[in-house]
Amino acid sequence: MNNSIQLIEKASRGKGLLNEEALYLLNTVPTKGDLFLLLLKTANRLTRQQFNNTAEIHAQIGLNWDTCSNSCQFCYFSEDLKNVSKKRELSEAEVIEKAKEFESYNVGSISLMATADFDFDKYLNISRTVRKHVKTVLFGNHGDLTIEMAREIKKVGFSFYYHALRLGEGKVTKLEREKRLLTMSNARRVGLLVGSCLEPIGPEHSYEEIISILDEMRNQGVAWMATMKRISVSNSPLNSYGEISDEEFAKITAVTRLYYGNKIIHYGCS
Ligand code: SF4
């Protein structure tokens, strides 16, 4: 039996994988053929077993459409890329209407997402109002949080806070790795669950970088984990790298799922 098959079998028990084991799978499993299918089927089966064959839809409301001074090179809203010609913000009434509509569909959670420059007090006020109108679990998604800001988020009634240490953080973004990690730890300290994502995956990322981010997220005790491939923004400097294939994305997603085992309470992919 080859090592990849043994590792996939080991991971099928839901106890997770070591960094070097996940790296080995990324390096050795191709994106077609029997081994590829075994990897995908094992990850799929583990997820179905852990979650009793049930999936949830998590809804998201984008509060604004605006440029962001952090100018992440993969982001359409980057100020440097100058893509946003017409700014827009949802009114409080519009946000409540959308939240109620999502609740009527029994979604698993509603995420309130704003670009990182969105005024924090305004974000809290809108979120507070939404909390009064819907009972569904709320997911916060804004910028970095100090411990005081994290307390405010918790007080509003959010259960989760979404935050990620992105691939290439600090190199293709103007944000500091340490602040991203501190935000996650602040969120956890005040009792929020942290939802995160391996993102945005592109052909420019080595498997070593991918494992290093997965390791950081696991050390941060994330409760909700997802994967997302980078979709090219046509005028971004990253556009020349192209995008990973759907098969490559599926492989990385399956290895991510096996890497975390059954410690994660939600898995997603977008
Ligand atoms: S911080 Fe968020 S909103 Fe701002 S540029 Fe980066 S990805 Fe876009």
Side-chain angles (χ1 to χ4, degrees):
M1 199 185 293
N2 80 28
N3 275 343
S4 306
I5 296 176
Q6 283 172 335
L7 284 177
I8 293 170
E9 275 182 12
K10 177 190 167 191
S12 72
R13 296 193 275 277
K15 300 241 179 337
L17 288 171
L18 301 173
N19 289 355
E20 57 271 27
E21 293 171 334
L23 183 60
Y24 186 85
L25 286 182
L26 287 174
N27 278 320
T28 55
V29 177
T31 50
K32 60 180 180 187
D34 290 346
L35 196 54
F36 178 53
L37 287 180
L38 178 69
L39 174 74
L40 301 194
K41 280 182 185 166
T42 305
N44 184 33
R45 193 172 52 243
L46 192 58
T47 297
R48 286 176 183 276
Q49 280 166 357
Q50 184 184 353
F51 301 111
N52 203 20
N53 218 19
T54 310
E56 277 184 353
I57 306 265
H58 290 252
Q60 179 154 279
I61 303 172
L63 304 186
N64 68 327
W65 179 269
D66 204 346
T67 53
C68 176
S69 60
N70 291 320
S71 286
C72 305
Q73 290 180 19
F74 45 76
C75 179
Y76 183 85
F77 297 118
S78 155
E79 193 172 66
D80 291 351
L81 297 181
K82 300 184 174 48
N83 285 322
V84 179
S85 51
K86 208 168 163 198
K87 303 176 179 195
R88 166 141 156 75
E89 256 179 55
L90 293 186
S91 68
E92 199 172 272
E94 285 175 307
V95 179
I96 292 164
E97 190 192 329
K98 285 180 192 302
K100 282 183 169 170
E101 191 183 352
F102 283 138
E103 184 158 84
S104 74
Y105 297 142
N106 281 327
V107 296
S109 72
I110 299 171
S111 165
L112 300 177
M113 182 178 70
T115 57
D117 288 341
F118 191 82
D119 183 80
F120 187 65
D121 287 331
K122 199 195 281 186
Y123 181 80
L124 291 176
N125 285 337
I126 294 176
S127 306
R128 225 173 264 124
T129 313
V130 171
R131 181 69 297 168
K132 282 186 197 136
H133 285 82
V134 295
K135 293 192 174 62
T136 306
V137 167
L138 290 185
F139 226 109
N141 188 349
H142 190 274
D144 281 318
L145 300 177
T146 60
I147 189 77
E148 291 78 20
M149 290 162 88
R151 276 196 197 102
E152 292 297 318
I153 289 282
K154 173 76 178 156
K155 235 193 281 170
V156 163
F158 281 102
S159 306
F160 284 87
Y161 196 70
Y162 178 85
H163 215 59
L165 179 69
R166 281 83 53 88
L167 285 152
E169 196 77 75
K171 292 183 196 137
V172 299
T173 74
K174 295 181 180 173
L175 295 161
E176 292 166 34
R177 283 174 62 90
E178 292 64 34
K179 271 198 188 154
R180 306 290 293 172
L181 293 170
L182 185 62
T183 295
M184 286 181 234
S185 122
N186 286 339
R188 283 182 52 235
R189 273 176 63 196
V190 302
L192 290 160
L193 293 166
V194 174
S196 197
C197 184
L198 174 68
E199 58 142 313
I201 315 162
E204 68 275 24
H205 303 122
S206 68
Y207 289 146
E208 284 77 9
E209 276 176 276
I210 285 173
I211 295 298
S212 146
I213 293 280
L214 293 181
D215 182 48
E216 295 265 22
M217 299 293 115
R218 186 152 69 179
N219 293 339
Q220 285 296 327
V222 298
W224 189 103
M225 190 64 193
T227 51
M228 183 174 71
K229 76 181 238 183
R230 181 175 55 68
I231 302 295
S232 287
V233 176
S234 61
N235 59 342
S236 157
L238 302 177
N239 193 32
S240 58
Y241 292 111
E243 295 176 4
I244 58 170
S245 68
D246 290 344
E247 291 79 9
E248 176 69 4
F249 181 45
K251 176 176 118 174
I252 294 171
T253 299
V255 171
T256 300
R257 197 275 167 263
L258 297 180
Y259 177 83
Y260 285 98
N262 289 348
K263 285 199 172 145
I264 295 278
I265 59 171
H266 288 283
Y267 276 103
C269 116
S270 54

mmCIF file with all atom_site columns, all heavy atoms in Angstrom, residues 139-158:
data_model
loop_
_atom_site.group_PDB
_atom_site.id
_atom_site.type_symbol
_atom_site.label_atom_id
_atom_site.label_alt_id
_atom_site.label_comp_id
_atom_site.label_asym_id
_atom_site.label_entity_id
_atom_site.label_seq_id
_atom_site.pdbx_PDB_ins_code
_atom_site.Cartn_x
_atom_site.Cartn_y
_atom_site.Cartn_z
_atom_site.occupancy
_atom_site.B_iso_or_equiv
_atom_site.pdbx_formal_charge
_atom_site.auth_seq_id
_atom_site.auth_comp_id
_atom_site.auth_asym_id
_atom_site.auth_atom_id
_atom_site.pdbx_PDB_model_num
ATOM 1   N N   . PHE A 1 139 ? -23.052 36.282 12.051 1.00 0.00 ? 139 PHE A N   1
ATOM 2   C CA  . PHE A 1 139 ? -21.622 36.157 11.766 1.00 0.00 ? 139 PHE A CA  1
ATOM 3   C C   . PHE A 1 139 ? -21.103 37.560 11.486 1.00 0.00 ? 139 PHE A C   1
ATOM 4   O O   . PHE A 1 139 ? -21.615 38.233 10.589 1.00 0.00 ? 139 PHE A O   1
ATOM 5   C CB  . PHE A 1 139 ? -21.494 35.345 10.465 1.00 0.00 ? 139 PHE A CB  1
ATOM 6   C CG  . PHE A 1 139 ? -20.488 34.253 10.492 1.00 0.00 ? 139 PHE A CG  1
ATOM 7   C CD1 . PHE A 1 139 ? -20.875 32.924 10.510 1.00 0.00 ? 139 PHE A CD1 1
ATOM 8   C CD2 . PHE A 1 139 ? -19.141 34.553 10.464 1.00 0.00 ? 139 PHE A CD2 1
ATOM 9   C CE1 . PHE A 1 139 ? -19.954 31.899 10.496 1.00 0.00 ? 139 PHE A CE1 1
ATOM 10  C CE2 . PHE A 1 139 ? -18.206 33.541 10.450 1.00 0.00 ? 139 PHE A CE2 1
ATOM 11  C CZ  . PHE A 1 139 ? -18.607 32.208 10.471 1.00 0.00 ? 139 PHE A CZ  1
ATOM 12  N N   . GLY A 1 140 ? -20.136 38.019 12.239 1.00 0.00 ? 140 GLY A N   1
ATOM 13  C CA  . GLY A 1 140 ? -19.547 39.340 11.969 1.00 0.00 ? 140 GLY A CA  1
ATOM 14  C C   . GLY A 1 140 ? -18.446 39.226 10.932 1.00 0.00 ? 140 GLY A C   1
ATOM 15  O O   . GLY A 1 140 ? -17.719 38.239 10.900 1.00 0.00 ? 140 GLY A O   1
ATOM 16  N N   . ASN A 1 141 ? -18.334 40.235 10.081 1.00 0.00 ? 141 ASN A N   1
ATOM 17  C CA  . ASN A 1 141 ? -17.257 40.243 9.086  1.00 0.00 ? 141 ASN A CA  1
ATOM 18  C C   . ASN A 1 141 ? -16.911 41.689 8.773  1.00 0.00 ? 141 ASN A C   1
ATOM 19  O O   . ASN A 1 141 ? -17.557 42.336 7.958  1.00 0.00 ? 141 ASN A O   1
ATOM 20  C CB  . ASN A 1 141 ? -17.697 39.491 7.814  1.00 0.00 ? 141 ASN A CB  1
ATOM 21  C CG  . ASN A 1 141 ? -16.546 39.311 6.835  1.00 0.00 ? 141 ASN A CG  1
ATOM 22  O OD1 . ASN A 1 141 ? -15.485 39.914 6.993  1.00 0.00 ? 141 ASN A OD1 1
ATOM 23  N ND2 . ASN A 1 141 ? -16.768 38.480 5.829  1.00 0.00 ? 141 ASN A ND2 1
ATOM 24  N N   . HIS A 1 142 ? -15.902 42.186 9.496  1.00 0.00 ? 142 HIS A N   1
ATOM 25  C CA  . HIS A 1 142 ? -15.461 43.572 9.313  1.00 0.00 ? 142 HIS A CA  1
ATOM 26  C C   . HIS A 1 142 ? -13.939 43.514 9.297  1.00 0.00 ? 142 HIS A C   1
ATOM 27  O O   . HIS A 1 142 ? -13.393 42.540 8.807  1.00 0.00 ? 142 HIS A O   1
ATOM 28  C CB  . HIS A 1 142 ? -16.054 44.406 10.478 1.00 0.00 ? 142 HIS A CB  1
ATOM 29  C CG  . HIS A 1 142 ? -15.906 45.887 10.311 1.00 0.00 ? 142 HIS A CG  1
ATOM 30  N ND1 . HIS A 1 142 ? -14.784 46.561 10.697 1.00 0.00 ? 142 HIS A ND1 1
ATOM 31  C CD2 . HIS A 1 142 ? -16.744 46.834 9.815  1.00 0.00 ? 142 HIS A CD2 1
ATOM 32  C CE1 . HIS A 1 142 ? -14.938 47.854 10.427 1.00 0.00 ? 142 HIS A CE1 1
ATOM 33  N NE2 . HIS A 1 142 ? -16.125 48.045 9.886  1.00 0.00 ? 142 HIS A NE2 1
ATOM 34  N N   . GLY A 1 143 ? -13.260 44.517 9.842  1.00 0.00 ? 143 GLY A N   1
ATOM 35  C CA  . GLY A 1 143 ? -11.794 44.519 9.787  1.00 0.00 ? 143 GLY A CA  1
ATOM 36  C C   . GLY A 1 143 ? -11.177 43.932 11.046 1.00 0.00 ? 143 GLY A C   1
ATOM 37  O O   . GLY A 1 143 ? -11.801 43.153 11.760 1.00 0.00 ? 143 GLY A O   1
ATOM 38  N N   . ASP A 1 144 ? -9.930  44.327 11.290 1.00 0.00 ? 144 ASP A N   1
ATOM 39  C CA  . ASP A 1 144 ? -9.235  43.870 12.495 1.00 0.00 ? 144 ASP A CA  1
ATOM 40  C C   . ASP A 1 144 ? -9.902  44.429 13.748 1.00 0.00 ? 144 ASP A C   1
ATOM 41  O O   . ASP A 1 144 ? -10.462 45.528 13.722 1.00 0.00 ? 144 ASP A O   1
ATOM 42  C CB  . ASP A 1 144 ? -7.765  44.312 12.444 1.00 0.00 ? 144 ASP A CB  1
ATOM 43  C CG  . ASP A 1 144 ? -6.945  43.403 11.554 1.00 0.00 ? 144 ASP A CG  1
ATOM 44  O OD1 . ASP A 1 144 ? -7.154  42.179 11.630 1.00 0.00 ? 144 ASP A OD1 1
ATOM 45  O OD2 . ASP A 1 144 ? -6.115  43.915 10.785 1.00 0.00 ? 144 ASP A OD2 1
ATOM 46  N N   . LEU A 1 145 ? -9.823  43.671 14.838 1.00 0.00 ? 145 LEU A N   1
ATOM 47  C CA  . LEU A 1 145 ? -10.476 44.058 16.098 1.00 0.00 ? 145 LEU A CA  1
ATOM 48  C C   . LEU A 1 145 ? -9.470  44.173 17.231 1.00 0.00 ? 145 LEU A C   1
ATOM 49  O O   . LEU A 1 145 ? -8.673  43.251 17.447 1.00 0.00 ? 145 LEU A O   1
ATOM 50  C CB  . LEU A 1 145 ? -11.499 42.991 16.518 1.00 0.00 ? 145 LEU A CB  1
ATOM 51  C CG  . LEU A 1 145 ? -12.677 42.666 15.600 1.00 0.00 ? 145 LEU A CG  1
ATOM 52  C CD1 . LEU A 1 145 ? -13.498 41.533 16.210 1.00 0.00 ? 145 LEU A CD1 1
ATOM 53  C CD2 . LEU A 1 145 ? -13.547 43.892 15.382 1.00 0.00 ? 145 LEU A CD2 1
ATOM 54  N N   . THR A 1 146 ? -9.548  45.290 17.960 1.00 0.00 ? 146 THR A N   1
ATOM 55  C CA  . THR A 1 146 ? -8.853  45.345 19.252 1.00 0.00 ? 146 THR A CA  1
ATOM 56  C C   . THR A 1 146 ? -9.714  44.533 20.225 1.00 0.00 ? 146 THR A C   1
ATOM 57  O O   . THR A 1 146 ? -10.858 44.182 19.895 1.00 0.00 ? 146 THR A O   1
ATOM 58  C CB  . THR A 1 146 ? -8.763  46.789 19.771 1.00 0.00 ? 146 THR A CB  1
ATOM 59  O OG1 . THR A 1 146 ? -10.102 47.268 19.930 1.00 0.00 ? 146 THR A OG1 1
ATOM 60  C CG2 . THR A 1 146 ? -7.986  47.687 18.811 1.00 0.00 ? 146 THR A CG2 1
ATOM 61  N N   . ILE A 1 147 ? -9.226  44.337 21.424 1.00 0.00 ? 147 ILE A N   1
ATOM 62  C CA  . ILE A 1 147 ? -10.014 43.572 22.394 1.00 0.00 ? 147 ILE A CA  1
ATOM 63  C C   . ILE A 1 147 ? -11.307 44.332 22.739 1.00 0.00 ? 147 ILE A C   1
ATOM 64  O O   . ILE A 1 147 ? -12.368 43.729 22.895 1.00 0.00 ? 147 ILE A O   1
ATOM 65  C CB  . ILE A 1 147 ? -9.161  43.228 23.664 1.00 0.00 ? 147 ILE A CB  1
ATOM 66  C CG1 . ILE A 1 147 ? -9.894  42.252 24.561 1.00 0.00 ? 147 ILE A CG1 1
ATOM 67  C CG2 . ILE A 1 147 ? -8.741  44.457 24.429 1.00 0.00 ? 147 ILE A CG2 1
ATOM 68  C CD1 . ILE A 1 147 ? -9.885  40.850 24.098 1.00 0.00 ? 147 ILE A CD1 1
ATOM 69  N N   . GLU A 1 148 ? -11.230 45.667 22.781 1.00 0.00 ? 148 GLU A N   1
ATOM 70  C CA  . GLU A 1 148 ? -12.445 46.450 23.092 1.00 0.00 ? 148 GLU A CA  1
ATOM 71  C C   . GLU A 1 148 ? -13.467 46.306 21.966 1.00 0.00 ? 148 GLU A C   1
ATOM 72  O O   . GLU A 1 148 ? -14.667 46.164 22.221 1.00 0.00 ? 148 GLU A O   1
ATOM 73  C CB  . GLU A 1 148 ? -12.101 47.942 23.267 1.00 0.00 ? 148 GLU A CB  1
ATOM 74  C CG  . GLU A 1 148 ? -11.290 48.282 24.507 1.00 0.00 ? 148 GLU A CG  1
ATOM 75  C CD  . GLU A 1 148 ? -9.808  47.954 24.346 1.00 0.00 ? 148 GLU A CD  1
ATOM 76  O OE1 . GLU A 1 148 ? -9.340  47.833 23.188 1.00 0.00 ? 148 GLU A OE1 1
ATOM 77  O OE2 . GLU A 1 148 ? -9.129  47.792 25.391 1.00 0.00 ? 148 GLU A OE2 1
ATOM 78  N N   . MET A 1 149 ? -12.983 46.360 20.727 1.00 0.00 ? 149 MET A N   1
ATOM 79  C CA  . MET A 1 149 ? -13.907 46.199 19.595 1.00 0.00 ? 149 MET A CA  1
ATOM 80  C C   . MET A 1 149 ? -14.531 44.793 19.611 1.00 0.00 ? 149 MET A C   1
ATOM 81  O O   . MET A 1 149 ? -15.722 44.621 19.341 1.00 0.00 ? 149 MET A O   1
ATOM 82  C CB  . MET A 1 149 ? -13.176 46.446 18.267 1.00 0.00 ? 149 MET A CB  1
ATOM 83  C CG  . MET A 1 149 ? -12.778 47.892 18.045 1.00 0.00 ? 149 MET A CG  1
ATOM 84  S SD  . MET A 1 149 ? -11.500 48.024 16.765 1.00 0.00 ? 149 MET A SD  1
ATOM 85  C CE  . MET A 1 149 ? -12.479 48.142 15.292 1.00 0.00 ? 149 MET A CE  1
ATOM 86  N N   . ALA A 1 150 ? -13.728 43.805 19.930 1.00 0.00 ? 150 ALA A N   1
ATOM 87  C CA  . ALA A 1 150 ? -14.244 42.428 19.981 1.00 0.00 ? 150 ALA A CA  1
ATOM 88  C C   . ALA A 1 150 ? -15.349 42.328 21.036 1.00 0.00 ? 150 ALA A C   1
ATOM 89  O O   . ALA A 1 150 ? -16.374 41.682 20.803 1.00 0.00 ? 150 ALA A O   1
ATOM 90  C CB  . ALA A 1 150 ? -13.102 41.456 20.292 1.00 0.00 ? 150 ALA A CB  1
ATOM 91  N N   . ARG A 1 151 ? -15.153 43.005 22.177 1.00 0.00 ? 151 ARG A N   1
ATOM 92  C CA  . ARG A 1 151 ? -16.196 42.991 23.223 1.00 0.00 ? 151 ARG A CA  1
ATOM 93  C C   . ARG A 1 151 ? -17.489 43.599 22.701 1.00 0.00 ? 151 ARG A C   1
ATOM 94  O O   . ARG A 1 151 ? -18.590 43.123 22.981 1.00 0.00 ? 151 ARG A O   1
ATOM 95  C CB  . ARG A 1 151 ? -15.730 43.789 24.447 1.00 0.00 ? 151 ARG A CB  1
ATOM 96  C CG  . ARG A 1 151 ? -14.878 42.945 25.341 1.00 0.00 ? 151 ARG A CG  1
ATOM 97  C CD  . ARG A 1 151 ? -14.687 43.523 26.741 1.00 0.00 ? 151 ARG A CD  1
ATOM 98  N NE  . ARG A 1 151 ? -13.554 42.842 27.332 1.00 0.00 ? 151 ARG A NE  1
ATOM 99  C CZ  . ARG A 1 151 ? -12.334 43.347 27.439 1.00 0.00 ? 151 ARG A CZ  1
ATOM 100 N NH1 . ARG A 1 151 ? -12.090 44.589 27.061 1.00 0.00 ? 151 ARG A NH1 1
ATOM 101 N NH2 . ARG A 1 151 ? -11.355 42.625 27.940 1.00 0.00 ? 151 ARG A NH2 1
ATOM 102 N N   . GLU A 1 152 ? -17.365 44.702 21.923 1.00 0.00 ? 152 GLU A N   1
ATOM 103 C CA  . GLU A 1 152 ? -18.558 45.351 21.359 1.00 0.00 ? 152 GLU A CA  1
ATOM 104 C C   . GLU A 1 152 ? -19.286 44.399 20.408 1.00 0.00 ? 152 GLU A C   1
ATOM 105 O O   . GLU A 1 152 ? -20.511 44.317 20.402 1.00 0.00 ? 152 GLU A O   1
ATOM 106 C CB  . GLU A 1 152 ? -18.161 46.631 20.595 1.00 0.00 ? 152 GLU A CB  1
ATOM 107 C CG  . GLU A 1 152 ? -17.642 47.759 21.473 1.00 0.00 ? 152 GLU A CG  1
ATOM 108 C CD  . GLU A 1 152 ? -18.688 48.249 22.454 1.00 0.00 ? 152 GLU A CD  1
ATOM 109 O OE1 . GLU A 1 152 ? -19.846 48.391 22.057 1.00 0.00 ? 152 GLU A OE1 1
ATOM 110 O OE2 . GLU A 1 152 ? -18.341 48.460 23.629 1.00 0.00 ? 152 GLU A OE2 1
ATOM 111 N N   . ILE A 1 153 ? -18.515 43.712 19.586 1.00 0.00 ? 153 ILE A N   1
ATOM 112 C CA  . ILE A 1 153 ? -19.106 42.750 18.634 1.00 0.00 ? 153 ILE A CA  1
ATOM 113 C C   . ILE A 1 153 ? -19.866 41.662 19.396 1.00 0.00 ? 153 ILE A C   1
ATOM 114 O O   . ILE A 1 153 ? -20.990 41.305 19.054 1.00 0.00 ? 153 ILE A O   1
ATOM 115 C CB  . ILE A 1 153 ? -17.980 42.117 17.763 1.00 0.00 ? 153 ILE A CB  1
ATOM 116 C CG1 . ILE A 1 153 ? -17.427 43.152 16.780 1.00 0.00 ? 153 ILE A CG1 1
ATOM 117 C CG2 . ILE A 1 153 ? -18.447 40.874 17.033 1.00 0.00 ? 153 ILE A CG2 1
ATOM 118 C CD1 . ILE A 1 153 ? -18.266 43.414 15.561 1.00 0.00 ? 153 ILE A CD1 1
ATOM 119 N N   . LYS A 1 154 ? -19.262 41.184 20.457 1.00 0.00 ? 154 LYS A N   1
ATOM 120 C CA  . LYS A 1 154 ? -19.897 40.127 21.254 1.00 0.00 ? 154 LYS A CA  1
ATOM 121 C C   . LYS A 1 154 ? -21.186 40.659 21.901 1.00 0.00 ? 154 LYS A C   1
ATOM 122 O O   . LYS A 1 154 ? -22.212 39.982 21.920 1.00 0.00 ? 154 LYS A O   1
ATOM 123 C CB  . LYS A 1 154 ? -18.882 39.651 22.310 1.00 0.00 ? 154 LYS A CB  1
ATOM 124 C CG  . LYS A 1 154 ? -19.413 38.674 23.321 1.00 0.00 ? 154 LYS A CG  1
ATOM 125 C CD  . LYS A 1 154 ? -19.568 37.292 22.747 1.00 0.00 ? 154 LYS A CD  1
ATOM 126 C CE  . LYS A 1 154 ? -20.059 36.332 23.815 1.00 0.00 ? 154 LYS A CE  1
ATOM 127 N NZ  . LYS A 1 154 ? -20.750 35.191 23.244 1.00 0.00 ? 154 LYS A NZ  1
ATOM 128 N N   . LYS A 1 155 ? -21.104 41.915 22.396 1.00 0.00 ? 155 LYS A N   1
ATOM 129 C CA  . LYS A 1 155 ? -22.264 42.509 23.086 1.00 0.00 ? 155 LYS A CA  1
ATOM 130 C C   . LYS A 1 155 ? -23.462 42.668 22.147 1.00 0.00 ? 155 LYS A C   1
ATOM 131 O O   . LYS A 1 155 ? -24.611 42.545 22.558 1.00 0.00 ? 155 LYS A O   1
ATOM 132 C CB  . LYS A 1 155 ? -21.870 43.896 23.631 1.00 0.00 ? 155 LYS A CB  1
ATOM 133 C CG  . LYS A 1 155 ? -22.132 44.034 25.129 1.00 0.00 ? 155 LYS A CG  1
ATOM 134 C CD  . LYS A 1 155 ? -22.057 45.459 25.594 1.00 0.00 ? 155 LYS A CD  1
ATOM 135 C CE  . LYS A 1 155 ? -20.628 45.934 25.764 1.00 0.00 ? 155 LYS A CE  1
ATOM 136 N NZ  . LYS A 1 155 ? -20.532 47.377 25.987 1.00 0.00 ? 155 LYS A NZ  1
ATOM 137 N N   . VAL A 1 156 ? -23.193 42.923 20.876 1.00 0.00 ? 156 VAL A N   1
ATOM 138 C CA  . VAL A 1 156 ? -24.279 43.069 19.897 1.00 0.00 ? 156 VAL A CA  1
ATOM 139 C C   . VAL A 1 156 ? -25.095 41.782 19.786 1.00 0.00 ? 156 VAL A C   1
ATOM 140 O O   . VAL A 1 156 ? -26.294 41.812 19.538 1.00 0.00 ? 156 VAL A O   1
ATOM 141 C CB  . VAL A 1 156 ? -23.696 43.464 18.518 1.00 0.00 ? 156 VAL A CB  1
ATOM 142 C CG1 . VAL A 1 156 ? -24.686 43.226 17.398 1.00 0.00 ? 156 VAL A CG1 1
ATOM 143 C CG2 . VAL A 1 156 ? -23.246 44.909 18.529 1.00 0.00 ? 156 VAL A CG2 1
ATOM 144 N N   . GLY A 1 157 ? -24.422 40.652 19.988 1.00 0.00 ? 157 GLY A N   1
ATOM 145 C CA  . GLY A 1 157 ? -25.130 39.377 19.872 1.00 0.00 ? 157 GLY A CA  1
ATOM 146 C C   . GLY A 1 157 ? -24.621 38.504 18.733 1.00 0.00 ? 157 GLY A C   1
ATOM 147 O O   . GLY A 1 157 ? -25.277 37.541 18.333 1.00 0.00 ? 157 GLY A O   1
ATOM 148 N N   . PHE A 1 158 ? -23.450 38.845 18.194 1.00 0.00 ? 158 PHE A N   1
ATOM 149 C CA  . PHE A 1 158 ? -22.833 37.963 17.194 1.00 0.00 ? 158 PHE A CA  1
ATOM 150 C C   . PHE A 1 158 ? -22.361 36.687 17.892 1.00 0.00 ? 158 PHE A C   1
ATOM 151 O O   . PHE A 1 158 ? -21.907 36.733 19.048 1.00 0.00 ? 158 PHE A O   1
ATOM 152 C CB  . PHE A 1 158 ? -21.607 38.639 16.565 1.00 0.00 ? 158 PHE A CB  1
ATOM 153 C CG  . PHE A 1 158 ? -21.935 39.656 15.514 1.00 0.00 ? 158 PHE A CG  1
ATOM 154 C CD1 . PHE A 1 158 ? -21.881 41.013 15.794 1.00 0.00 ? 158 PHE A CD1 1
ATOM 155 C CD2 . PHE A 1 158 ? -22.297 39.259 14.236 1.00 0.00 ? 158 PHE A CD2 1
ATOM 156 C CE1 . PHE A 1 158 ? -22.174 41.958 14.824 1.00 0.00 ? 158 PHE A CE1 1
ATOM 157 C CE2 . PHE A 1 158 ? -22.588 40.191 13.256 1.00 0.00 ? 158 PHE A CE2 1
ATOM 158 C CZ  . PHE A 1 158 ? -22.532 41.546 13.554 1.00 0.00 ? 158 PHE A CZ  1
#
